[in-house]
Amino acid sequence: MPELELPSGEKIGQTRSITRFIGKMSGLYPAFDALTAAKIDDVMDICEDLMTSVNKIGQGMEKAEKEKARAEGMKSGKPAAILKAIESYIGAQGKNGCAVGDKLTLADICIFSYTNLVVCGFYDGVSPDVLKDYPKIQAVRKTVGTHPKVVARYAAEKADTPIFNFYKSCTK
């Protein structure tokens, strides 16, 4: 179980609790705007759904069969439907490369993080260009990927892992 220990010694557990706490402390998640918070939660939840749906495809299959099933799922299965829903949501709720409103929020960071994991090579059979038909998702990814603090974080990263190696595609 994830855990965040505060300087006071108090601990917060669970990924979403930690994420929202840090979001409130950093101004990326509203402390007193329940409607905007709910919209951000919508995006966080659908990003979780995306990961679950991609992961479920091909479980128990041999690699070649799994790759084929995932490639098809990303084109016309549940993951494709979820990506279309995210694209539509951004169109209805977002502006200027942001998913909710017109300034950076946890929703944008979730889209950036989860879509990077989906297309970075971690999942067999998922093409790195699977997001090419989703311009609003791509715009959110670019907003986050070109943020000076994100650029600095990735520049400082020395790990040789798919997620860090894939980062550069987010700014194209």
Side-chain angles (χ1 to χ4, degrees), residues 26-98:
S26 65
L28 296 172
Y29 187 90
F32 301 106
D33 180 350
L35 180 58
T36 300
K39 291 176 181 181
I40 293 168
D41 288 342
D42 278 349
V43 173
M44 291 169 54
D45 290 345
I46 200 166
C47 285
E48 289 279 335
D49 293 344
L50 175 64
M51 297 307 298
T52 300
S53 70
V54 173
N55 190 48
K56 280 185 179 178
I57 295 175
Q59 283 184 339
M61 295 179 181
E62 294 296 322
K63 185 175 179 178
E65 191 180 8
K66 180 190 317 186
E67 288 175 350
K68 183 178 178 186
R70 282 205 179 126
E72 188 58 37
M74 296 307 296
K75 290 179 187 172
S76 60
K78 187 170 183 178
I82 292 171
L83 287 170
K84 288 175 186 168
I86 293 170
E87 183 79 2
S88 177
Y89 195 92
I90 295 167
Q93 301 296 329
K95 294 179 189 166
N96 304 324
C98 295

Side-chain angles (χ1 to χ4, degrees), residues 37-160:
K39 291 176 181 181
I40 293 168
D41 288 342
D42 278 349
V43 173
M44 291 169 54
D45 290 345
I46 200 166
C47 285
E48 289 279 335
D49 293 344
L50 175 64
M51 297 307 298
T52 300
S53 70
V54 173
N55 190 48
K56 280 185 179 178
I57 295 175
Q59 283 184 339
M61 295 179 181
E62 294 296 322
K63 185 175 179 178
E65 191 180 8
K66 180 190 317 186
E67 288 175 350
K68 183 178 178 186
R70 282 205 179 126
E72 188 58 37
M74 296 307 296
K75 290 179 187 172
S76 60
K78 187 170 183 178
I82 292 171
L83 287 170
K84 288 175 186 168
I86 293 170
E87 183 79 2
S88 177
Y89 195 92
I90 295 167
Q93 301 296 329
K95 294 179 189 166
N96 304 324
C98 295
V100 176
D102 62 356
K103 66 178 188 168
L104 190 70
T105 69
L106 282 181
D108 306 307
I109 293 170
C110 281
I111 289 171
F112 175 82
S113 299
Y114 283 76
T115 58
N116 273 358
L117 186 57
V118 167
V119 298
C120 76
F122 181 80
Y123 289 105
D124 296 332
V126 178
S127 171
D129 70 350
V130 76
L131 300 173
K132 70 180 178 355
D133 295 328
Y134 301 98
K136 291 174 180 60
I137 292 173
Q138 291 288 52
V140 169
R141 293 175 76 231
K142 187 169 185 172
T143 295
V144 176
T146 58
H147 189 281
K149 289 185 179 183
V150 174
V151 171
R153 163 66 179 99
Y154 280 99
E157 179 57 50
K158 303 299 181 210
D160 186 26

Side-chain angles (χ1 to χ4, degrees), residues 12-24:
I12 301 171
Q14 298 299 328
T15 301
R16 290 218 194 119
S17 297
I18 293 168
T19 302
R20 284 190 292 266
F21 175 79
I22 292 171
K24 288 175 186 174

